[in-house]
Amino acid sequence: MGKITMENGGSGKGSESVVMNVSLIDIFNKFQTHNQAKGLSEATLRGYRQCIRSKFFSWTEEQSIKYGKDIDQEVIDSYLIYLRNSNITDSTVSMYCRHLRTFINYGIQNSYIEPVQVPSIKTQSKAPETYSKQELEALLEKPDLSGIFFVNPL
């Protein structure tokens, strides 16, 4: 496993929070192994790879964030701002956040990441288009079958 470090420098003063010094990639690999053991579908595992390994880790690499101990609320908030400023829909941002929340919670539960909150993103659902009165009447009219011939199968 990883080396244990004390977040407050190990001085023994104040509240100590112990997180292991484990790389984000190693945490993700353990997370995926755990998910496979739980029997999650390949589609779910692929979704985690896309949202976390591809998107989140690309961003953390640009920010020089390599370890779980480096994830704090400011990092999460900055990533959410980055997502919102990207050319993606609110529903995609929401999906990325759901997957990230699951990953972060796994890291917190296993002492790889300090407790942080990944908020739920509200999306505006579009009201479905409805038919006009004329369109409904046309749909409900009995069809004219006079010119149609039916063939009986042998």
Side-chain angles (χ1 to χ4, degrees):
M1 215 159 231
K3 178 177 131 189
I4 296 177
T5 59
M6 305 297 262
E7 279 299 298
N8 69 358
S11 66
K13 298 178 184 172
S15 63
E16 292 183 2
S17 177
V18 180
V19 294
M20 289 182 258
N21 192 22
V22 180
S23 74
L24 289 172
I25 294 295
D26 287 344
I27 297 169
F28 181 77
N29 291 337
K30 293 172 191 287
F31 171 70
Q32 287 292 72
T33 299
H34 175 74
N35 290 333
Q36 287 173 326
K38 286 181 6 183
L40 296 185
S41 72
E42 182 55 39
T44 301
L45 297 173
R46 188 173 40 253
Y48 287 139
R49 278 192 303 272
Q50 176 188 356
C51 295
I52 298 164
R53 193 163 188 171
S54 297
K55 192 74 168 177
F56 182 62
F57 287 177
S58 293
W59 181 83
T60 56
E61 190 174 300
E62 290 173 12
Q63 308 302 311
S64 299
I65 299 167
K66 295 181 172 114
Y67 297 95
K69 67 181 180 64
D70 298 329
I71 303 293
D72 60 17
Q73 194 63 53
E74 184 178 346
V75 168
I76 298 298
D77 293 344
S78 296
Y79 179 66
L80 295 178
I81 291 168
Y82 161 78
L83 287 177
R84 288 198 172 275
N85 291 332
S86 298
N87 192 21
I88 55 177
T89 65
D90 285 346
S91 61
T92 302
V93 171
S94 179
M95 178 188 62
Y96 285 151
C97 287
R98 282 192 312 274
H99 288 328
L100 180 62
R101 185 179 314 105
T102 305
F103 171 70
I104 294 294
N105 286 340
Y106 171 83
I108 292 168
Q109 291 168 359
N110 290 282
S111 300
Y112 301 131
I113 298 173
E114 284 293 322
V116 294
Q117 295 292 315
V118 180
S120 297
I121 303 297
K122 304 279 185 200
T123 58
Q124 299 251 345
S125 59
K126 295 180 182 174
E129 289 189 28
T130 59
Y131 291 108
S132 69
K133 184 176 179 180
Q134 290 172 332
E135 290 169 325
L136 281 173
E137 288 173 355
L139 284 170
L140 294 173
E141 278 183 23
K142 184 175 179 181
D144 179 12
L145 302 176
S146 61
I148 298 176
F149 298 100
F150 293 97
V151 177
N152 288 329
L154 296 175

